Amino acid sequence: MQSWMIGMVSGTIFAGTWPVLPPWPLLVPLALLSMGVLRVQWWVTRVLCGVCCGCFLGLAYGTVLLDQRLVADCVGTPLTVEGQIISLPVVSEIRGGVPRQRFEFSVNEISPARCLGPSKLMLSYYGDDTLLPGENWRFDVKLKKPWGLSNPGSYNIQAWFAQEGIDGVGSAKGKGLHQRLPSDQFSIYGYQRVRWAISEQIGQLGLKPDVMAMLRALTVADRSGIGPDLWRLLQQYGVNHLLVISGLHVGLVAAAGFLLGGVFVRLCFPMGLTGNWLPSVCALLLATAYGALAGFSLPVQRALCMLLCFVAASLTSRSSGPSNNLLLAATVVLVMNPLAALGSGFWLSFGAVAALLWLAQWQRGAGALRRLLGTHGFMSLVMLPLGALFFGGASLVAMLANLLMIPLVGMVVVPLSLMAVVSSLCGWAVASDLWNLAGWPLQQLLPPATQLAEAGDKWLFLHLTGSLPKALLGLVAVGLLILPGAKTLKLLALVSLLPLLLAQTQGVQTPSLDTSVTVLDVGQGTSVVIRSGERTLLYDTGGGDPEGVNMGSTVVLPYLRQQGVASLDSFVISHPDLDHSAGAKGLLAAMPVERLRYGGDWSSAGVGRPCIAGEAWRWPGGQVFQFLSPARESQISSNDASCVLHIQVGRFRLLLPGDIGTKREQALVKYWGDQLSGDWLMAAHHGSRTSSSPALLKWVYPETIVVSSGYANRFGHPHPQVLQRLQQLGGTIFSTATHGALEFKLSDGGDKVEATAFRQATRRYWM
């Protein structure tokens, strides 16, 4: 059975990596091959049968998933949907103080009928009503396909949409004809209503917002209050895993249930009753109830599966090995959701338990203190390759921080919070006192932790980037380090870690004309990275919230760090509009910049100076950069104040025009004339109708045009008339909305150009 499950897990994970789905008739031979496990004994054959079974499951699930996706004709069309809210609404405010509630929505009806298909949506509601889980609603919405940005080194939320089975994403504006419908008194999502009520009670405690956010996460897995600053702080100390209700928390609750069941047995024994089964059953029931509070997240599913195996074995007087339980749990989780392995949570949850089981093999006979320190030290080393792969780095003080926080959270905060939950459900007034008591240690620790992080950012967290092969090599190396004796193996392990740890260093490179131009996929915005040797220029950072989540921190910085860029030779902020400059301050704080230039009124940073037409500079390899606009002008619009940057690489010429409009384009043509002629052009203002005029295109006449815009954006960029003009040039048109990040490698003095579209290079069927 073990060999079959290994094949089953492998086959299911493998199916999730297919670029396209095979024809569905392949289901029949796969099903027949997978049934061969019933008649064979040879382990290799059983593994292959398991692989066939996993591929069968993945193909069947993927076929249904794609069939339920929103059809292209219905993207952006006004629709009316009826259904039920099936998750905790995440409440937040977007810029301007507009409230937003974001939630999962199970669809019962869609009109018009031609758009039928989606069964689960992710909706954002901007009205004044308070939405509750389990309620039935009718919303007027506009939907898109579940889409995500596609860039090297950063997370693609499209994987999360596929993992969660989201068939469409949309918004319901407050002015729509929305209506609350009669709801069933008893709903399978009733536990979500309990979670919401508890989360609301915690939110009224009057504690500091970060403390209440952590209590919500630890009690009901509501992480909506965990902002980017708090998450970054916890990541610096390597304790952010504590906010994910995991096997550790489930195990503590199960242990409490086991002890409680033992007390009941002792109370009942004098009455002539036997209940040896009671402690195990109580442990399972309490752990399941806690799992409902946690929303049955993937780590909770894994812990409950392993606990169920243990309980079943104890009730039937059979042995239950933890490694077998872990493998069975992985099989069950993937059967319930064949795309569960797309998320980092799957690998971190199962990987952490597997690492602990491996460590336990070599800790037998060790003292308690040695086991404690060894476990924390080993897990900190494990997080080096895993952190590099999933989070772009790892904490250097994780061992010390976890030595303090794991007992504090596991033995104090979580028990007090759960006692508060029980008190709240029973209507006892002591609930608030218990929650305040649970939050007290967090309230004392957060301020000094924040101060230390601000002072020691450079040594608290080690930024690392690693590919999958390097991460796997690092995990093998960490596993070898704990083997007793075998100094040769330990030396080999240390050597195996070097590719991961040295991945950030840039060797001295000879200046060359070989240049890479990368247009990052930042949605409705712009960000371009130009690199040659040790020199890097960044043109814009994309959009977002300058004080919160933005493309600079989620896309640009991860890409630069993946490429080993530690400083910028030049940083150009074309103009102040947020879709170009939102991440500028964060990037300036993250790495040194030698030359900063900006267009328009962007002087709040107190550094750099405005770009002026005529300013030029040259890299050692021979690349020449020159601003063509603006001149020293006053009373100019923000868009027309964009820094227009001309780049020459040998005989190859590129033009980055920012968001300039038709009149500014005509002025450029009048002044620069033939000097505008180029091979590569970024469409101005994301392909807006007011840009990319015939006058400019006639003089530039590029062979390659790039449009940087968001998928199904509300502005309608690129405009059909602009696309028609660009197509009439006869060149190649690339779009970040379609192709994801785009990389152009220029070599042989610009005579040779190699283009790579990241979305196509990393294509998966669910994208």
Side-chain angles (χ1 to χ4, degrees), residues 574-575 577 636-643 657-661 664 685:
S574 65
H575 63 299
D577 288 4
I636 185 174
S637 70
S638 176
N639 284 347
D640 282 344
S642 296
C643 300
D659 278 0
I660 61 173
R664 174 60 50 157
H685 203 181

Side-chain angles (χ1 to χ4, degrees), residues 258 355 540 679 699:
F258 193 87
D540 286 342
D679 306 279
W699 284 92

Side-chain angles (χ1 to χ4, degrees), residues 167-388:
D167 305 313
V169 180
S171 60
K173 303 296 184 181
K175 60 184 179 181
L177 299 177
H178 313 309
Q179 182 181 359
R180 182 183 277 112
L181 304 176
S183 302
D184 298 333
Q185 185 176 2
F186 300 100
S187 169
I188 60 172
Y189 299 104
Y191 72 94
Q192 298 280 23
R193 184 74 64 86
V194 175
R195 296 178 65 211
W196 175 86
I198 293 172
S199 181
E200 287 295 301
Q201 290 183 43
I202 296 174
Q204 297 172 5
L205 291 175
L207 297 170
K208 293 180 179 179
D210 284 349
V211 175
M212 290 190 295
M214 293 179 69
L215 286 179
R216 282 173 158 173
L218 289 166
T219 307
V220 293
D222 179 5
R223 294 192 291 276
S224 59
I226 306 293
D229 291 337
L230 178 57
W231 185 258
R232 193 178 303 114
L233 173 68
L234 299 174
Q235 191 176 53
Q236 284 178 300
Y237 289 97
V239 295
N240 47 351
H241 65 94
L242 293 176
L243 295 188
V244 179
I245 296 180
S246 62
L248 173 64
H249 304 137
V250 174
L252 290 171
V253 174
F258 193 87
L259 292 175
L260 186 61
V263 172
F264 286 157
V265 169
R266 289 185 177 86
L267 292 176
C268 295
F269 185 76
M271 302 170 61
L273 300 176
T274 59
N276 294 333
W277 51 271
L278 193 56
S280 298
V281 172
C282 281
L284 183 60
L285 290 177
L286 281 184
T288 304
Y290 184 52
L293 276 180
F296 292 111
S297 61
L298 190 146
V300 172
Q301 294 174 23
R302 188 265 307 157
L304 289 178
C305 286
M306 295 186 69
L307 179 62
L308 180 59
C309 292
F310 173 78
V311 170
S314 65
L315 293 178
T316 56
S317 300
R318 302 183 65 177
S319 61
S320 175
S323 58
N324 290 339
N325 294 347
L326 182 65
L327 182 57
L328 180 58
T331 305
V332 172
V333 166
L334 288 172
V335 166
M336 293 191 297
N337 182 359
L339 293 180
L342 295 181
S344 60
F346 178 89
W347 300 101
L348 293 174
S349 179
F350 284 93
V353 176
L356 290 172
L357 293 178
W358 171 255
L359 177 64
Q361 299 295 319
W362 313 102
Q363 280 192 327
R364 294 170 183 171
L369 181 60
R370 183 178 176 183
R371 291 172 67 93
L372 175 66
L373 296 177
T375 299
H376 282 288
F378 177 69
M379 293 308 295
S380 297
L381 288 175
V382 168
M383 281 308 301
L384 284 176
L386 290 180

Side-chain angles (χ1 to χ4, degrees), residues 125-146:
Y125 173 70
Y126 297 91
D128 298 325
D129 295 289
T130 299
L131 307 182
L132 302 179
E135 288 185 333
N136 292 329
W137 275 83
R138 179 187 295 120
F139 291 112
D140 289 339
V141 299
K142 287 186 177 180
L143 299 178
K144 307 178 193 177
K145 290 185 177 182

Side-chain angles (χ1 to χ4, degrees), residues 541-756:
T541 65
D545 182 357
E547 306 301 328
V549 179
N550 56 66
M551 294 298 160
S553 60
T554 59
V555 173
V556 181
L557 268 176
Y559 171 76
L560 292 175
R561 284 170 174 155
Q562 186 204 52
Q563 299 299 313
V565 176
S567 63
L568 294 176
D569 172 79
S570 305
F571 182 15
V572 179
I573 303 165
S574 65
H575 63 299
D577 288 4
L578 287 182
D579 57 337
H580 295 254
S581 67
K585 290 184 180 179
L587 193 135
L588 287 170
M591 62 175 56
V593 175
E594 182 177 339
R595 176 188 292 105
L596 174 64
R597 300 291 184 267
Y598 55 85
D601 185 19
W602 194 90
S603 56
S604 56
V607 293
R609 67 171 188 256
C611 51
I612 301 296
E615 180 184 3
W617 67 97
R618 179 189 297 267
W619 280 356
Q623 298 85 352
V624 179
F625 302 83
Q626 183 178 21
F627 290 122
L628 306 185
S629 179
R632 299 183 184 274
E633 303 164 273
S634 59
Q635 297 182 346
I636 185 174
S637 70
S638 176
N639 284 347
D640 282 344
S642 296
C643 300
V644 178
L645 182 62
H646 183 272
I647 307 159
Q648 185 159 354
V649 182
R651 291 173 292 276
F652 196 88
R653 288 169 290 186
L654 306 92
L655 187 64
L656 298 172
D659 278 0
I660 61 173
T662 299
K663 290 184 178 180
R664 174 60 50 157
E665 292 176 350
Q666 292 172 349
L668 286 175
V669 169
K670 183 177 180 180
Y671 187 84
W672 294 101
D674 290 340
Q675 295 184 54
L676 288 174
S677 176
D679 306 279
W680 189 101
L681 171 71
M682 172 166 282
H685 203 181
H686 321 291
S688 166
R689 185 169 59 91
T690 60
S691 301
S692 300
S693 62
L696 179 70
L697 296 179
K698 177 182 178 181
W699 284 92
V700 179
Y701 214 86
E703 296 179 359
T704 302
I705 305 105
V706 175
V707 181
S708 180
S709 61
Y711 162 72
N713 63 84
R714 62 190 178 93
F715 305 101
H717 295 161
H719 194 276
Q721 292 179 8
V722 173
L723 275 179
Q724 184 178 9
R725 288 201 293 266
L726 297 177
Q727 290 167 353
Q728 288 173 352
L729 295 175
T732 304
I733 301 174
F734 293 94
S735 168
T736 57
T738 303
H739 300 100
L742 298 160
E743 183 177 53
F744 301 87
K745 291 186 176 180
L746 314 178
S747 56
D748 296 340
D751 288 339
K752 183 178 180 182
V753 182
E754 180 182 349
T756 302

